[in-house]
Amino acid sequence: MKKYILFDLDGTLTEPKEGITKSVQYALDSIGIHEPDLNNLIKFIGPPLEVSFKEYYGLNDADTKEAVKRYRERYKDVGIFENSIYDGVTDMLDALKKQGAGLALATSKPDIFAERIVDEYGMRPYLDVVAGGKINGSCVKADVIREAFEKLGIGEDDKKKVIMVGDREHDIIGANECGIESVGVYFGYAAPGELEAAGATYIVSSMGELKQLLLELSSEAQGEEGQR
């Protein structure tokens, strides 16, 4: 059923809380907003930074631009490595790869950061494609998914063979906009009911459940290919 699997990064494959929240705190402090409680900044994990700074702190365009600049100032050398890969991710990617699935990263995080994280945490051998947001361009999830399509050579007729995996509504909404199915994972940073409301095709609560589901879906796809 599914030949290609696209993965979000933060909250789906990796635990990014420390690096992201501390970098957001640093950015806010640089423009005169003091947020001592890092737990109040967890909501920044997932959505594009520009959207979050405007939505959660009411920043205007100029202050948003400065906040994003300051965030990346800290994140690029420090926050990026205040991170860890979730238990079971490598085993899952390895099993899917051995089964013949095409695997891609599709993250709103700028691709220059995503590439470094993929290398740092040993995911590079399993991924056929890394698609990410652009420092001075779009970080919208649907645009990132379309970039992954292009890199994988996925055409309109192939969309039924593709599934997006993510932990926030933006992943699910992006998948819906691109006409593909999705898996919402509740071991990341989604609020209760968020993924259902966004229209996720499947819902899982653990890495073990995700691995089992994806192996089943990709196994069906390989069976269909073999019958042709």
Side-chain angles (χ1 to χ4, degrees), residues 52-206:
S52 295
F53 279 122
K54 289 181 177 181
E55 179 177 348
Y56 300 131
Y57 286 90
L59 302 190
N60 59 32
D61 288 345
D63 285 343
T64 295
K65 184 176 181 180
E66 180 65 17
V68 170
K69 175 184 175 182
R70 294 294 187 174
Y71 171 94
R72 290 172 177 161
E73 181 178 88
R74 182 187 188 278
Y75 186 82
K76 67 183 178 67
D77 293 319
V78 180
I80 192 171
F81 299 121
E82 294 171 328
N83 199 353
S84 61
I85 189 169
Y86 282 137
D87 289 343
V89 166
T90 301
D91 287 344
M92 176 184 66
L93 296 178
D94 183 57
L96 290 168
K97 194 70 176 175
K98 287 177 178 176
Q99 194 157 272
L103 307 181
L105 190 69
T107 174
S108 294
K109 185 184 294 296
D111 49 12
I112 61 170
F113 298 145
E115 295 276 4
R116 291 173 65 192
I117 291 170
V118 162
D119 287 332
E120 177 70 17
Y121 296 100
M123 292 182 277
R124 177 73 65 182
Y126 308 106
L127 298 172
D128 299 294
V129 162
V130 174
K134 309 305 173 196
I135 286 288
N136 296 310
S138 176
C139 290
V140 175
K141 180 62 74 164
D143 290 339
V144 173
I145 292 173
R146 293 185 188 103
E147 179 188 347
F149 285 176
E150 183 177 351
K151 289 184 173 181
L152 288 167
I154 294 171
E156 193 67 31
D157 293 340
D158 298 316
K159 287 185 177 182
K160 62 182 179 296
K161 303 175 186 176
V162 186
I163 196 161
M164 175 75 209
V165 182
D167 74 309
R168 296 300 308 274
E169 63 180 356
H170 307 83
D171 302 307
I172 309 307
I173 292 169
N176 291 340
E177 288 180 7
C178 292
I180 61 174
E181 292 188 339
S182 60
V183 182
V185 302
Y186 268 118
F187 51 78
Y189 288 92
E194 176 181 332
L195 301 172
E196 291 89 343
T201 314
Y202 304 92
I203 298 288
V204 299
S205 299
S206 70

Side-chain angles (χ1 to χ4, degrees), residues 14-35:
T14 62
E15 169 52 85
K17 178 182 175 181
E18 181 180 359
I20 289 178
T21 57
K22 286 184 176 179
S23 296
V24 171
Q25 184 184 56
Y26 173 86
L28 290 172
D29 192 64
S30 72
I31 59 172
I33 299 174
H34 305 294
E35 178 52 78

